[in-house]
Amino acid sequence: MTCSNQEIEKLLPRLLLDDNDSRREALADIDEKYISDAKGINVDYIFYIENLKNTEFSKARFRIEPLYAEIFSEIKKMFDDVELYSVQPIIDFISKTDIPKISKILSVETRQEYFNYCIGLSDRYVPIIPLDISHKLHSTNEKSLLLEQVYLDEKNKIGLDTSTQSEKSEKTDSLQKKYLNNKTELKKELCNYIMLWIHAYRFLKARQQLLSTNKNVVAFSHRYQGWSKPRQKINEVLEIEFKSNFGYGNSSYFYLILVYRGVQIYPFMDWINYKYAEASEMEGYSERFHKKKIYERVFKGKKVSTKEVVIEQSYWEDAFDSLVKACNICERSPEEFIDTYIVIALKKLISNLEEIIDEDDRILDKAYRDFDFKIATFDAIEGQMKQAKSMNVKGSMISKTLDFIGDITKLEEVAKVSSYIDDIESLNKRILPMLEKSILSYKEVMDYLEERYKNFEKEIIDIWKNQGLEGLTQKNKAQSLSVEESILFQKLQDKHSKISKLKGEAQEDLGNGRRLLKSIERYIINIKTYFNTNK
């Protein structure tokens, strides 16, 4: 096997990235705050809420036993040992413990390939942790052998080239340095994996023990990756959900939802954006625990805001404090609960929507939206585009409340809610003509985007047909181009490639523009349908 220097440069990233998803962060790059320095909630203990004597709810801690502490400590020493480059001592050490056997049994019993253990709650492309450690040991050994083979092949090539001895020594030293760096990264990857495996195993066993020994647990902290919304029954009238999406960057979220008499209480709404899926949706919630940081930056001469979702394990404490308070109020005084979590919640909902309907696009963009339909901004349509995006946010949030009215009506027997239903209907009647007006204005945007796309299309046809690229392409296949024709052929090819790229971008803008238009049209239809049905 022989590899070029360029191939060697590319080899290590391919080896260290996740076997199933190359976008995932390399294990070797995981911050120590998640591994050797990890502590607190869901590392040292699990937060949980228990119902004592069926009358009082309280927050408590369940200790996570430091299983395999000596093994963890030894692996950390190997990780820190700057003189250790080889993964073989690590593989030999772990192979002599009972971890490979335990991991195999766990994989078979659970019928799962990976721990459901999110390393960083608001990180993106976080690595997953395979259950069966033997597979990881084997694949790491294979990668180590491959690195060694590449190194020896390249070293032999240096010995056979015609360079001077001094140049050969310099090349060999450089190759040796790269080889040792690569081996170090592979060692870090394996050590981090083993330490994370131990963390995940400890958490799993603690959770199992908690639920098997304490029948009064109504909720517990977790680090499940992806969508999760387990619902727990508190009493005959109250249920709760911790609705989360951990480990998906700015699409991550962490909410509490209260469900009273089967009705989900939504005083607040968030605009959740799935950037890479090019999708977004509204999420209603009773309380939000993730935080949003906003950064200002200049892009193409214009000031734009960048948002970042932040979720830490420590946020579970705030979440449980809020939940304990709600549960105890519900048990102690149903009237106080209704006033605090239903009447006041509805007031907040109406108040928020009244602010939103009058808000300008700049504020809306900072507070609610970062999914922009990926439509390029042009001076000729900038005003109409901003208005359309603004109405998309307003229309989505306000028209969605019509879906709640049926549920809100069910609460009439415990609270006076008819005035809030009137307010929701009034807001939708107010937004309807604004949406319809924005549609008329937005047609100018669509006309501009369609004309832009067609112009690029015409230009491509002109290059192909009129400027001669079609004929030159045929002559090139027949290898009959003259020198002058070859120069012209290359020039037209470059021009065609450039315009084709612009056409593709224009086509994407046009498609996204149509989707934005359909969204606003859908809000109009939903509002009209509601009032036609409820005359």
Side-chain angles (χ1 to χ4, degrees), residues 302-316:
K302 295 183 179 181
K303 185 178 287 186
V304 295
S305 58
T306 302
K307 306 172 193 64
E308 179 181 313
V309 170
V310 179
I311 309 175
E312 303 289 350
Q313 296 289 349
S314 59
Y315 295 177
W316 277 106

Side-chain angles (χ1 to χ4, degrees), residues 180-237:
L180 293 179
N181 285 341
N182 290 349
K183 292 189 71 172
T184 299
E185 288 299 298
L186 193 58
K187 180 197 78 169
K188 287 182 177 180
E189 179 205 9
L190 181 58
C191 289
N192 278 348
Y193 163 70
I194 294 169
M195 289 188 285
L196 283 168
W197 189 98
I198 292 173
H199 273 310
Y201 182 74
R202 289 171 176 174
F203 180 80
L204 173 64
K205 302 309 288 185
R207 190 185 72 216
Q208 291 173 342
Q209 187 178 1
L210 167 65
L211 297 178
S212 65
T213 58
N214 192 333
K215 303 302 180 183
N216 296 318
V217 174
V218 296
F220 58 88
S221 61
H222 69 75
R223 50 196 313 162
Y224 300 145
Q225 186 159 348
W227 290 314
S228 175
K229 54 174 185 177
R231 179 175 290 196
Q232 298 290 332
K233 184 176 181 179
I234 302 302
N235 54 32
E236 292 304 313
V237 295

Side-chain angles (χ1 to χ4, degrees), residues 34 55 73 103 109 168 177 184 200 212 233 258 277-278 289 291 297 318 320 323 358 415 418 443 450 461 497:
Y34 298 125
T55 57
S73 178
S103 71
E109 287 181 347
K168 286 183 179 182
K177 184 178 180 180
T184 299
S212 65
K233 184 176 181 179
L258 300 176
E278 296 190 3
F289 302 108
K291 294 177 172 55
R297 63 189 178 93
D318 292 337
F320 275 29
L323 181 55
D358 294 320
S418 58
K443 290 190 183 299
E450 286 181 10
I461 293 172
S497 178

Side-chain angles (χ1 to χ4, degrees), residues 134 209 223 282 287 301 318 378 394 453 457 508 525:
S134 298
Q209 187 178 1
R223 50 196 313 162
M282 299 304 303
E287 198 161 350
D318 292 337
F378 304 97
K394 295 177 180 181
Y453 171 73
E457 197 170 43
E508 184 178 1
I525 292 171

Side-chain angles (χ1 to χ4, degrees), residues 46-100:
I46 297 174
F47 258 139
Y48 69 98
I49 294 177
E50 59 184 346
N51 185 4
L52 301 175
K53 300 178 182 178
N54 296 318
T55 57
E56 185 73 18
F57 292 86
S58 63
K59 180 180 68 177
R61 296 181 179 186
F62 187 85
R63 184 171 183 264
I64 297 176
E65 294 291 337
L67 305 173
Y68 298 120
E70 292 182 2
I71 295 174
F72 190 99
S73 178
E74 187 62 30
I75 294 297
K76 180 62 170 67
K77 287 180 183 178
M78 293 183 180
F79 179 93
D80 292 334
D81 187 352
V82 295
E83 300 295 325
L84 178 63
Y85 299 104
S86 174
V87 296
Q88 199 57 52
I90 303 167
I91 294 173
D92 292 342
F93 172 73
I94 288 296
S95 298
K96 293 175 183 177
T97 70
D98 67 346
I99 286 182

Side-chain angles (χ1 to χ4, degrees), residues 99-290:
I99 286 182
K101 180 181 177 181
I102 293 294
S103 71
K104 184 68 175 179
I105 293 172
L106 192 61
S107 178
V108 172
E109 287 181 347
T110 61
R111 298 181 181 180
Q112 300 292 327
E113 292 185 53
Y114 308 97
F115 282 105
N116 191 353
Y117 182 94
C118 187
I119 299 170
L121 301 189
S122 55
D123 291 354
R124 183 163 61 96
Y125 296 137
V126 292
I128 49 181
I129 308 170
L131 277 169
D132 191 346
I133 210 166
S134 298
H135 291 165
K136 187 66 176 179
L137 297 179
H138 176 73
S139 66
T140 301
N141 185 56
E142 291 288 307
K143 292 173 184 179
S144 178
L145 292 174
L146 180 58
L147 280 175
E148 183 177 4
Q149 187 174 357
V150 170
Y151 166 72
L152 293 175
D153 286 345
E154 195 66 17
K155 189 176 179 180
N156 289 335
K157 286 171 62 178
I158 293 173
L160 296 173
D161 70 23
T162 56
S163 304
T164 64
Q165 190 59 43
S166 175
E167 289 173 333
K168 286 183 179 182
S169 295
E170 186 176 335
K171 289 179 182 179
T172 302
D173 290 344
S174 176
L175 180 65
Q176 173 82 1
K177 184 178 180 180
K178 289 178 183 178
Y179 174 56
L180 293 179
N181 285 341
N182 290 349
K183 292 189 71 172
T184 299
E185 288 299 298
L186 193 58
K187 180 197 78 169
K188 287 182 177 180
E189 179 205 9
L190 181 58
C191 289
N192 278 348
Y193 163 70
I194 294 169
M195 289 188 285
L196 283 168
W197 189 98
I198 292 173
H199 273 310
Y201 182 74
R202 289 171 176 174
F203 180 80
L204 173 64
K205 302 309 288 185
R207 190 185 72 216
Q208 291 173 342
Q209 187 178 1
L210 167 65
L211 297 178
S212 65
T213 58
N214 192 333
K215 303 302 180 183
N216 296 318
V217 174
V218 296
F220 58 88
S221 61
H222 69 75
R223 50 196 313 162
Y224 300 145
Q225 186 159 348
W227 290 314
S228 175
K229 54 174 185 177
R231 179 175 290 196
Q232 298 290 332
K233 184 176 181 179
I234 302 302
N235 54 32
E236 292 304 313
V237 295
L238 181 64
E239 295 175 289
I240 61 99
E241 289 181 7
F242 276 120
K243 189 173 185 178
S244 60
N245 184 35
F246 294 154
Y248 283 87
N250 285 343
S251 300
S252 304
Y253 53 75
F254 185 13
Y255 300 116
L256 170 64
I257 297 175
L258 300 176
V259 185
Y260 188 78
R261 294 182 182 271
V263 178
Q264 296 184 349
I265 302 172
Y266 288 152
F268 306 106
M269 287 183 287
D270 259 355
W271 185 274
I272 303 299
N273 306 288
Y274 301 97
K275 181 178 178 182
Y276 294 93
E278 296 190 3
S280 59
E281 62 180 354
M282 299 304 303
E283 291 287 356
Y285 62 94
S286 303
E287 198 161 350
R288 181 179 72 195
F289 302 108
H290 65 262

